[in-house]
Structures are given as C-alpha cells and as structure tokens.
Amino acid sequence: MDLLCEERVSPGSEGAAVSAPAPRAAAADPVLLRRRVLDNLLRTEERYAVTANYFGTLQTDITPHMRRLVADWMLEVCEDQSCQEEVFPLAISYLDRFLSICTVGKSQLQLLGTACLLLASKLREPGSRGLPAELLVFYTANSVTLADLCSWELLVLSKLKWDVAGVTAHDFLPLLLSRLPLRDLVNTEMVQRHAQTFIALAARDYEFTLHSASTLASCSIAAALRGLGLDGHLSRLHELTGIDLDCLQTCLEQVEEMVQNMIEERVVSVPNGQAREATEWTPPPTQNKAHNNAATPTDVRDVHF
C-alpha cells in the first residue's frame, strides 16, 4: 500500500510554513430565534443586573467619571482590535457586577477593566482570537504587570462565582428585530448595527446601568428606527418584553439625548469658522510597539491608574 501526499503547494511557498486559516464565527441558527429563547433571556437577565447604585455606598474611592474614563479606554481597545460587538458590553457587565460587590481603589480600576476585557474576549471571540494578556498589558502602557492581570482574572472569576456567560443587550437584538414588522421597510442588518452602536455608547455611562439588558436593547432598536425616519414600535416592543411602556419611553429619550450629545461633541467650532473633530484620546498604537505609547487615555494616566 502506497501512502501518497497529494497536497498542492503554491509556487514560491516551498519550505515556508502554511498559516492556519482564521477562525470563523458560527453561522446564524434560526432555532435560536424561537420565542422560548427570548423568554429564557428575559427570565435570566435579572441574575446579571446591577440593581443598586454602588457609588457613594460601596465605592468611596472612585467616581462615575473614573468609570467613564476606563470604559472609554476599554471601548477604544475593542475597536482597535476589531473585537466582536458583544465583547465590550460583556466586559462592562463584569466591571459593574464586580464593583457592586467589592470595593476598588483608584489604582486598581484600570486593572479591573483590563481583566474584564480579557475574560469577555475569551468568551465571545471565536476560536483563538481572544485578546492576548500581553497585548492588554501593552495597552495600559505597562502600568499593570502580567502577573497582576492573571491574578485579577482569577479574582474577578471568583467574585462572580464563575458565572460569566452573562446576558447583555446584544443578545436581545436579533430576537426582537425578527419580531418587528420591518420587512420591505428597512434593512434590518443596518438597524442592528445602529442599535449595537447605541448599546456600546450607553455602556460607557453609569446612568444606563440601572436599565435591564432587554430595556436597553428595545430602546436602542427604537432609537435606530426613529433615526431612520420610521416608527420606533415601542408598543410592539412592550408586548414582546413585558417592560412598562413608560420605562421604555424614558430610556428611549435618554438614548436619543445621548446620541445627540455625541453628535454635538464630535464637531467643535473653532474661531475661523471651520470645524474639527473633537479628540480626547491618544492615538492607538501602531505595529511598531517599541516606539509608541499605549492607547491609554491621557486623563487615566494622569490619575495613575
């Protein structure tokens, strides 16, 4: 019996290692859009909700502004590394759940955020595309060590009782969009992308923490539809989720106000009448890491996180 290798090698690639193909995410499964999945998420989301204001009670050394700075930095890391949309909201969920049960000092807040990013990327990135711990240390401008990051990863896991498969607003988007009368009216993929953006922006602000994941998802969809000149379908979203209509209206107004404020902050008028984009953060690192600072926000470095 002859054992033959019929592998074809392209010209010029002899002796070179063949790189493995990039891991691909699983295709959409229509079974996951059934009503029982939505009902299960609605029942489960309460387990991962932060229902109390932990600032001023448990957290006396950090402020909502500090949380916003770290959240902005976490979002920038996710954008720079092209992470899945679910990674950032899940990491913020870990952050808030941890802060609601454990006291954290100013010097530990960015370390906590880094550990949450590490965990969320491991859970939501396909295959082996999770954010490497060494890269996250680099993004902090080496203000944390690899040993500290590994220790805090275990600390976060233990405090969250290893219950890290949390429910986020992203999980509700396809379930709700598939049940709205949007056929032939709008591209639902575009609506979902807009809603994902609103969810990411809302995750940076502590005031949205007290809204449930389903409430934020519903209002992000409604805001995206209204932004495209369509009806927000709040009544239908109320029927699907059972959330009080007044609560949905309040959250929707907050989302739309947040988006409007973001638009106004993006463009800053200058004396000569021109406009420029507002920039608050240092640029992300380039490929040559040896000659560049990390993308840590300047304000965060100033308080020695």
Side-chain angles (χ1 to χ4, degrees), residues 2-283:
D2 294 331
L3 299 178
L4 302 178
C5 177
E6 298 181 357
E7 180 182 11
R8 297 183 179 181
V9 181
S10 59
S13 63
E14 295 183 3
V18 179
S19 59
R24 300 177 60 184
D29 188 349
V31 174
L32 299 179
L33 296 179
R34 293 180 178 176
R35 176 70 207 200
R36 64 177 179 83
V37 178
L38 177 59
D39 292 337
N40 287 337
L41 286 179
L42 290 170
R43 285 194 299 266
T44 307
E45 66 173 340
E46 296 181 3
R47 194 167 74 199
Y48 306 100
V50 178
T51 57
N53 185 348
Y54 53 73
F55 286 112
T57 54
L58 183 63
Q59 304 299 336
T60 58
D61 197 30
I62 61 175
T63 64
H65 177 66
M66 294 178 184
R67 178 194 177 278
R68 170 67 180 265
L69 290 175
V70 171
D72 279 334
W73 172 77
M74 293 167 66
L75 178 58
E76 187 174 351
V77 172
C78 290
E79 290 178 342
D80 191 48
Q81 290 299 311
S82 301
C83 294
Q84 297 292 313
E85 295 287 346
E86 300 90 343
V87 171
F88 174 65
L90 185 60
I92 291 295
S93 175
Y94 296 160
L95 180 79
D96 287 324
R97 288 170 60 194
F98 188 93
L99 291 176
S100 66
I101 57 178
C102 293
T103 304
V104 172
K106 288 189 294 185
S107 61
Q108 300 170 319
L109 187 55
Q110 189 179 30
L111 177 56
L112 171 60
T114 308
C116 293
L117 274 180
L118 180 62
L119 286 171
S121 68
K122 287 181 178 180
L123 195 70
R124 291 298 179 105
E125 287 290 338
S128 58
R129 284 185 51 194
L131 295 173
E134 295 83 358
L135 180 64
L136 290 172
V137 170
F138 165 72
Y139 270 104
T140 67
N142 297 310
S143 62
V144 304
T145 66
L146 187 60
D148 288 339
L149 179 55
C150 293
S151 297
W152 271 72
E153 180 186 17
L154 290 176
L155 177 62
V156 173
L157 284 171
S158 64
K159 294 300 182 181
L160 300 185
K161 300 180 179 180
W162 291 78
D163 189 4
V164 292
V167 177
T168 68
H170 275 275
D171 298 323
F172 287 95
L173 293 182
L175 291 161
L176 296 176
L177 283 170
S178 64
R179 288 168 169 79
L180 294 181
L182 301 178
R183 181 175 297 180
D184 300 329
L185 292 179
V186 68
N187 185 341
T188 56
E189 291 184 359
M190 179 176 62
V191 175
Q192 180 165 334
R193 288 196 301 270
H194 289 182
Q196 288 172 341
T197 300
F198 298 159
I199 290 171
L201 293 176
R204 305 173 313 150
D205 291 336
Y206 176 73
E207 65 179 16
F208 287 98
T209 302
L210 301 181
H211 290 296
S212 67
S214 56
T215 300
L216 182 56
S218 300
C219 295
S220 296
I221 291 173
L225 291 172
R226 284 160 62 102
L228 296 172
L230 301 173
D231 178 37
H233 293 287
L234 277 187
S235 298
R236 177 58 177 158
L237 291 168
H238 160 68
E239 295 174 0
L240 291 171
T241 60
I243 302 170
D244 184 75
L245 199 56
D246 291 337
C247 182
L248 287 176
Q249 184 63 43
T250 300
C251 183
L252 174 59
E253 293 173 357
Q254 290 178 336
V255 171
E256 291 180 334
E257 181 181 2
M258 173 195 67
V259 174
Q260 184 61 37
N261 291 338
M262 283 292 301
I263 294 174
E264 294 175 356
E265 290 173 2
R266 286 287 181 177
V267 179
V268 180
S269 299
V270 292
N272 60 5
Q274 298 177 348
R276 62 180 177 85
E277 186 176 355
T279 55
E280 298 179 359
W281 310 113
T282 55

